[in-house]
Amino acid sequence: MFKEKLILTGHIIDSLTLPKTLDTIMEQGGDFKIEELNVGKLKTDKSSAIIEVTSDDEKVFNRILDEVTDYGAEILEDKEVQLIESAKDKTVPDNFYSTTNYNTKVKYNDTWLPIENIEMDCVIVVDTDNMKAECKPLNVVKKGEKVVVGRAGVKVEPLERSRGKAEFEFMNSEASAEKPTQTIIHKIAKEMKEIKDKGGKIVVVGGPAVIHTGCSKVLASLIREGYVDKIFAGNALATHDIENALYGTSLGVDIESGELVAHGHKNHISAINTINKAGSIKEAVDQGILTSGVMYECIKNDAPYVLAGSIRDDGPLPDVITDSQVAQQRMREEVQDVDMVIMIATLLHSVATGNLIPARVKSVCVDISNASVTKLSDRGSAQVISVVTDIGSFLPILKNELEKLEEE
């Protein structure tokens, strides 16, 4: 018989942490006994529960611990973290601890060490000489690094929902096109303004639909006005933004009239060719070739951008990072200091970014497809607010709401 006593603390009733924990234990084939339960009576009061988990099967038992500790359950017995050295580069012991995107600590040498650069689906490496713990993707682990294994000495701090609902939790439930879009966008705008006023940073992760729907000017103005500090995208957004700036088209369609331009299908290739001749997007701006658009405003306002390439890219532009691992690392570096991420009409880039950001980062995913916005939640980004709406409507309304807030 395998057994362990766990403790849950916090708003475990309101956030459904307690029932989720008990359900998980039973669904995985284990058993439990609640040894102690203290329920907070006031909104500010926290609750606690001590639960004994048992199973006859070691694999089932370890699987239960894997899941319930992600909810914030801690092993009651005060244990030190277990460390095993990596046998070779890019490998870890079989029983490695796989991280979530929640704030996490490990106990080593009687000290709780916060995990730096936390993100999901990584491992924890502890520098015992300098008393530091860091989250690392598998592909950068080096031979001899000390990797956390098992669950002992690991403390996860998941997001909680208290009885007093937070402002940004306004629509944090299943995505639906029937929700009041104007109200949601107003609250997103309010959050953006508060972040800007505090000197925080916001990243927009955008797909080419931002340009196709005629919203290049809107996004460009948000960069110029300081509401958007960084851009994550692919070759397509940047290419069609530059195509629009040079020729007034996106994929050969006139942005103003919506008419297909004769021979317009070559415009995006011509745009890439023009930037290639200049040397880069920045050099095209410096030479006066590129004078407007999203990428222009990024250059003029020192807004970092990461353009991650794909197998289907035309060109691509010289600024596009074609090595996916290099692009991922650049994105990883850029999200460390952000307070909010807005993902617009790009499923793959949205999922990629969602995998990299800590749960503390306020996140919004906007897409006309219900399936796209729910994909992030399915992938573990539970903090994401989903908005199902047309991109061509979302950005202009957002800009208008921000202007109203500035006038107040």
Side-chain angles (χ1 to χ4, degrees), residues 10 12 23 38 42 48 65 69 74 94 143 173 176 213 229-230 258 277 292 297 300 305 331 334 342 354 386 396 398:
I12 60 176
D23 285 346
N38 297 303
L42 303 177
S48 65
L65 292 185
T69 49
E74 300 173 34
D94 290 341
K143 178 181 178 180
S173 60
S176 171
T213 55
D229 301 277
K230 303 180 184 185
K277 287 180 178 180
S292 64
E297 294 296 345
K300 299 300 287 186
Y305 56 86
M331 292 168 67
E334 292 292 348
I342 304 176
S386 300
L398 179 65

Coordinates of all heavy atoms in Angstrom, one line a residue, residues 10 12 23 38 42 48 65 69 74 94 143 173 176 213 229-230 258 277 292 297 300 305 331 334 342 354 386 396 398:
G10 N -5.8 27.7 1.2 CA -6.2 28.8 0.4 C -7.7 28.8 0.2 O -8.4 28.3 1.0
I12 N -9.8 27.1 -1.3 CA -9.9 25.7 -1.9 C -11.3 25.4 -2.2 O -11.6 24.4 -3.0 CB -9.2 24.6 -1.1 CG1 -9.8 24.5 0.3 CG2 -7.7 24.9 -1.0 CD1 -9.2 23.4 1.1
D23 N -11.9 14.4 -6.8 CA -12.3 13.8 -8.1 C -11.1 13.1 -8.8 O -11.2 12.0 -9.3 CB -12.9 14.8 -9.0 CG -14.3 15.2 -8.6 OD1 -14.9 14.5 -7.7 OD2 -14.9 16.2 -9.1
N38 N -10.8 22.6 7.6 CA -11.2 23.9 8.2 C -11.6 24.8 7.1 O -10.9 25.1 6.2 CB -10.0 24.5 8.9 CG -9.5 23.6 10.0 OD1 -10.2 23.3 10.9 ND2 -8.2 23.2 10.0
L42 N -15.3 34.0 6.3 CA -15.4 35.3 5.7 C -14.7 35.2 4.3 O -14.0 34.3 4.0 CB -14.7 36.3 6.6 CG -15.2 36.5 8.0 CD1 -14.4 37.5 8.8 CD2 -16.7 36.9 8.0
S48 N -8.5 25.1 4.7 CA -7.4 24.1 4.6 C -8.0 22.7 4.8 O -9.0 22.5 5.4 CB -6.3 24.3 5.7 OG -6.9 24.1 7.0
L65 N -0.3 11.9 -7.4 CA 0.5 12.9 -6.9 C 0.9 14.0 -7.9 O 0.9 15.2 -7.7 CB 1.8 12.4 -6.2 CG 1.6 11.5 -5.0 CD1 3.0 11.2 -4.4 CD2 0.8 12.2 -3.9
T69 N -0.8 17.7 -7.0 CA 0.2 18.7 -6.6 C 0.2 19.9 -7.6 O 0.5 21.0 -7.2 CB 1.6 18.2 -6.4 OG1 1.9 17.4 -7.6 CG2 1.7 17.3 -5.2
E74 N 0.2 20.0 -1.2 CA 1.6 19.8 -0.8 C 1.7 18.5 0.1 O 0.8 18.2 0.8 CB 2.1 21.0 0.0 CG 2.1 22.3 -0.7 CD 2.4 23.5 0.3 OE1 3.2 23.3 1.2 OE2 1.8 24.6 0.1
D94 N 14.4 9.6 -15.7 CA 13.0 9.2 -16.1 C 12.0 9.8 -15.2 O 10.9 10.2 -15.6 CB 12.9 7.7 -16.1 CG 13.7 7.1 -17.3 OD1 14.0 7.8 -18.2 OD2 13.9 5.8 -17.2
K143 N 24.8 18.0 -19.5 CA 25.3 16.9 -18.7 C 25.9 17.3 -17.3 O 26.6 18.3 -17.3 CB 26.4 16.1 -19.5 CG 27.0 15.0 -18.7 CD 28.2 14.3 -19.5 CE 28.8 13.2 -18.7 NZ 29.9 12.5 -19.5
S173 N -14.6 31.9 -18.4 CA -15.3 30.7 -18.5 C -15.3 30.2 -20.0 O -14.6 30.8 -20.8 CB -16.8 30.9 -18.0 OG -17.4 31.8 -18.8
S176 N -17.6 31.8 -25.9 CA -18.9 31.8 -26.6 C -19.0 33.1 -27.4 O -18.7 34.1 -26.9 CB -20.0 31.6 -25.7 OG -21.3 31.8 -26.3
T213 N -7.9 42.2 -42.5 CA -9.1 42.8 -42.1 C -9.0 44.3 -42.0 O -9.9 45.0 -41.6 CB -9.6 42.3 -40.7 OG1 -8.5 42.4 -39.8 CG2 -10.0 40.8 -40.8
D229 N 3.9 46.9 -26.5 CA 5.4 47.1 -26.4 C 6.2 46.1 -27.2 O 7.3 46.4 -27.5 CB 5.7 46.9 -24.9 CG 5.0 47.9 -24.0 OD1 5.5 49.0 -23.9 OD2 4.0 47.5 -23.4
K230 N 5.6 44.9 -27.6 CA 6.3 43.9 -28.3 C 5.3 43.2 -29.3 O 4.1 43.2 -29.0 CB 6.9 42.9 -27.4 CG 7.9 43.5 -26.4 CD 8.5 42.4 -25.5 CE 9.3 43.0 -24.4 NZ 10.0 42.0 -23.6
G258 N -11.5 46.6 -51.0 CA -11.8 45.2 -51.0 C -11.8 44.5 -52.3 O -12.1 43.3 -52.4
K277 N 16.4 43.7 -50.6 CA 17.3 44.7 -51.2 C 17.8 45.7 -50.2 O 19.0 46.0 -50.2 CB 16.6 45.4 -52.3 CG 16.4 44.6 -53.6 CD 15.7 45.4 -54.7 CE 15.5 44.6 -55.9 NZ 14.8 45.4 -57.0
S292 N 5.3 53.4 -43.1 CA 4.1 53.2 -42.3 C 3.9 51.8 -42.0 O 4.6 50.9 -42.5 CB 2.9 53.8 -43.0 OG 2.6 53.0 -44.2
E297 N 6.3 51.0 -37.1 CA 6.1 51.5 -35.8 C 7.0 50.8 -34.8 O 7.5 51.4 -33.8 CB 4.6 51.5 -35.4 CG 3.7 52.4 -36.2 CD 4.1 53.9 -36.0 OE1 4.8 54.3 -35.1 OE2 3.6 54.7 -36.8
K300 N 10.4 52.4 -35.2 CA 10.5 53.8 -34.8 C 10.3 53.9 -33.3 O 10.8 54.9 -32.7 CB 9.4 54.6 -35.5 CG 9.5 54.7 -37.0 CD 10.9 55.3 -37.4 CE 10.9 56.8 -37.2 NZ 12.1 57.4 -37.8
Y305 N 10.4 42.7 -31.7 CA 9.5 41.8 -32.4 C 10.2 40.5 -32.6 O 11.4 40.5 -32.8 CB 8.9 42.4 -33.7 CG 10.0 42.8 -34.7 CD1 10.5 41.9 -35.6 CD2 10.4 44.2 -34.7 CE1 11.5 42.4 -36.5 CE2 11.3 44.6 -35.7 CZ 11.8 43.7 -36.6 OH 12.8 44.1 -37.5
M331 N 11.4 34.3 -28.0 CA 10.1 34.5 -27.4 C 10.2 34.3 -25.9 O 9.6 35.1 -25.1 CB 9.1 33.6 -28.0 CG 8.8 33.9 -29.5 SD 7.8 32.7 -30.3 CE 6.2 32.9 -29.4
E334 N 11.7 37.3 -24.3 CA 10.9 38.5 -24.4 C 9.7 38.5 -23.4 O 9.2 39.5 -23.1 CB 10.5 38.8 -25.8 CG 11.6 39.2 -26.7 CD 12.3 40.5 -26.4 OE1 11.7 41.3 -25.6 OE2 13.3 40.8 -27.0
I342 N -1.9 39.6 -25.5 CA -3.1 39.6 -26.3 C -2.8 38.8 -27.6 O -2.0 39.2 -28.4 CB -3.6 41.0 -26.6 CG1 -3.8 41.8 -25.4 CG2 -4.9 40.9 -27.4 CD1 -4.2 43.2 -25.6
G354 N 1.4 30.7 -25.2 CA 0.7 30.3 -24.0 C 1.6 29.3 -23.3 O 1.6 29.2 -22.0
S386 N -10.9 34.2 -23.1 CA -11.2 33.9 -24.5 C -12.3 34.8 -25.1 O -13.4 35.0 -24.4 CB -11.7 32.4 -24.7 OG -10.7 31.5 -24.3
P396 N -10.6 47.7 -33.8 CA -11.2 49.1 -33.8 C -12.0 49.4 -32.5 O -11.9 50.6 -32.0 CB -12.1 49.1 -35.0 CG -11.5 48.1 -35.9 CD -11.0 47.0 -35.0
L398 N -11.5 48.1 -29.5 CA -10.5 48.2 -28.5 C -9.8 49.6 -28.5 O -9.7 50.3 -27.5 CB -9.4 47.1 -28.6 CG -8.3 47.1 -27.6 CD1 -8.8 46.9 -26.2 CD2 -7.2 46.1 -28.0

